[in-house]
């Protein structure tokens, strides 16, 4: 799938315009995007969504800015763990979901770069929804998530240390597993958002204008959802 990720990332770089400020997500597909952006020589400032992305952008000498400097972005680029036919996403496999959601929410347009294995008819089937949670709230959050959306929550383990995995924000990473997938992603996103102790969840159903660049390693396809009003929470 590496070839598919690289091809999709190359196509995404074609969409970058000189002298713009762009959001840059996190993950292995975004790493290809950053490398290709550096090769292109395009002049941009990037708002990174994780420490990992800061390090990669800096190593490729791409200028970095922050949300302290800009309160709105025209365009952001990111990967995804799953994409459904309505352009709903699961994100946060890399644990950067909170900053990724902030950056995409405040961008007029989001470009999601994926290999074809990420496309699915139904979100959440064999793919958990990441949660960033206040560590001491874990038992209460686990109970509330089971009651509100019927998912089983487990703390994420990184292998390098005892769980939980700690996010860039100093909170705990957990995963919500839905046994039969997610029937109403937008409703589940809202319900998870309303649970105190959950800073953010990895369902992204409320992006205003989304394009998905998908490659199977052969061709590259660009799927676009028309601009829409945001849901009123
Ligand atoms: C990180 C993310 C990533 O975009 C998502 O996990 C996909 O990663 P990859 O490109 O490595 O498959 O949401 O928080």
């Amino acid at each position: 799938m590496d070839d598919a990720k690289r091809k999709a990332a190359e196509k995404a770089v074609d969409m970058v315009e000189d002298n713009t400020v762009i959001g840059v997500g996190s993950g292995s597909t975004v790493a290809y995007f950053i490398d290709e952006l550096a090769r292109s020589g395009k002049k941009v400032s990037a708002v990174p969504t994780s420490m990992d992305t800061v390090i990669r952008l800096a190593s490729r000498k791409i200028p970095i800015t922050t949300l302290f400097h800009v309160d709105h972005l025209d365009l952001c680029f990111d990967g995804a763990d799953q994409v459904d036919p309505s352009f709903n996403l699961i994100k946060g496999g890399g644990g950067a979901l909170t900053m990724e959601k902030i950056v995409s929410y405040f961008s007029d347009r989001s470009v999601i770069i994926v290999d074809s294995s990420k496309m699915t008819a139904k979100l959440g089937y064999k793919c958990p929804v990441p949660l960033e949670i206040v560590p001491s709230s874990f038992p209460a959050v686990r109970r509330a998530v089971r009651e509100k959306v019927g998912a089983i929550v487990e703390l994420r383990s990184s292998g390098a240390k005892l769980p939980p995995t700690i996010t860039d924000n100093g909170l705990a990473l957990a995963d919500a597993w839905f046994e039969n997938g997610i029937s109403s992603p937008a409703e589940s996103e809202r319900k998870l958002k309303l649970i105190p102790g959950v800073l953010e969840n990895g369902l992204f159903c409320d992006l205003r204008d989304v394009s998905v660049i998908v490659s199977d390693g052969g061709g590259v396809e660009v799927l676009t959802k028309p601009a829409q009003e945001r849901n009123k929470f």
Side-chain angles (χ1 to χ4, degrees), residues 5 25-31 49 78-82 90-97 100 113-115 118 130 204:
K5 290 180 181 191
S26 307
S28 58
T29 315
V30 166
T49 55
D78 205 346
D81 300 303
Q82 284 193 330
I90 291 179
K91 288 189 45 53
L97 58 152
E100 290 172 345
I113 318 162
V114 292
D115 64 74
K118 307 288 184 63
F204 285 52

Side-chain angles (χ1 to χ4, degrees), residues 80-84 88-90 118 120 122-125 127:
D81 300 303
Q82 284 193 330
V83 180
D84 80 5
N88 298 312
L89 316 173
I90 291 179
K118 307 288 184 63
T120 182
K122 189 178 189 184
L123 291 184
Y125 188 66
C127 174

Side-chain angles (χ1 to χ4, degrees), residues 125-226:
Y125 188 66
K126 296 193 172 160
C127 174
V129 175
L131 306 175
E132 184 165 4
I133 66 174
V134 174
S136 59
S137 70
F138 171 63
V141 163
R142 181 175 51 186
R143 183 175 53 77
V145 170
R146 194 172 53 236
E147 284 172 10
K148 301 285 179 196
V149 298
I152 306 297
V153 179
E154 292 173 355
L155 286 175
R156 181 90 62 91
S157 170
S158 67
K161 65 179 271 296
L162 295 173
T165 301
I166 300 301
T167 67
D168 287 355
N169 303 310
L171 298 183
L173 202 55
D175 290 305
W177 292 90
F178 292 75
E179 194 180 357
N180 299 308
I182 305 170
S183 309
S184 311
E187 191 184 332
S188 296
E189 180 182 5
R190 279 194 293 276
K191 285 182 173 169
L192 290 169
K193 186 79 190 165
L194 288 173
I195 298 173
V198 177
L199 173 65
E200 196 48 86
N201 69 82
L203 282 166
F204 285 52
C205 306
D206 197 26
L207 302 183
R208 192 184 293 153
D209 187 341
V210 193
S211 293
V212 177
I213 302 178
V214 49
S215 174
D216 59 6
V220 179
E221 201 179 356
V222 182
L223 311 167
T224 298
K225 176 171 125 173

Side-chain angles (χ1 to χ4, degrees), residues 16-22 37 42-46 62-64:
V16 176
E17 290 181 20
D18 264 328
N19 304 313
T20 54
V21 181
I22 59 170
L37 182 61
K42 290 188 179 181
K43 301 275 174 280
V44 295
S45 289
I62 296 174
I64 291 169

